[in-house]
């Protein structure tokens, strides 16, 4: 018998995911990068125990270059 997920825990997971997306959006904006489609993927809420997925969306080649420029170089440590 499958156990039911605690609704409070599910809401906390969704709130944590929303906070993480907002922090990512803010960090990207500080680097002059906007991902218009950045959001939580709505279908990931449909599960009995929601496990939010982040949709980064599509972007132009210029944005890809900007992302590449601000990410750690090969062999560099992530912050």
């Amino acid at each position: 018998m499958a156990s039911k997920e605690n609704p409070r825990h599910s809401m906390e997971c969704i709130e944590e995911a929303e906070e993480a997306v907002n922090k990512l959006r803010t960090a990207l904006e500080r680097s002059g990068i906007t991902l218009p489609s950045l959001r939580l993927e709505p279908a990931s809420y449909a599960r009995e125990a929601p496990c939010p997925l982040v949709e980064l969306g599509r972007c132009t080649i210029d944005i890809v270059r900007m992302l590449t420029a601000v990410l750690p170089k090969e062999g560099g440590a992530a912050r």
Side-chain angles (χ1 to χ4, degrees), residues 24-54:
L24 175 59
R25 182 178 290 111
T26 299
L28 289 169
E29 286 173 353
R30 281 194 304 264
S31 295
I33 299 170
T34 301
L35 296 178
S37 302
L38 179 62
R39 66 183 180 138
L40 291 182
E41 211 292 310
S44 64
Y45 292 101
R47 298 177 50 186
E48 185 175 326
C51 181
L53 297 174
V54 176

Side-chain angles (χ1 to χ4, degrees), residues 3 12 16 22 30 35 40 52 57-58 65 72 74:
S3 64
E12 288 172 0
E16 287 177 15
N22 287 333
R30 281 194 304 264
L35 296 178
L40 291 182
R58 293 182 259 177
R65 289 184 183 119
E74 187 175 326

Side-chain angles (χ1 to χ4, degrees), residues 43-71:
S44 64
Y45 292 101
R47 298 177 50 186
E48 185 175 326
C51 181
L53 297 174
V54 176
E55 184 174 305
L56 297 173
R58 293 182 259 177
C59 61
T60 66
I61 296 301
D62 289 338
I63 297 297
V64 170
R65 289 184 183 119
M66 292 172 74
L67 285 168
T68 302
V70 298
L71 292 172

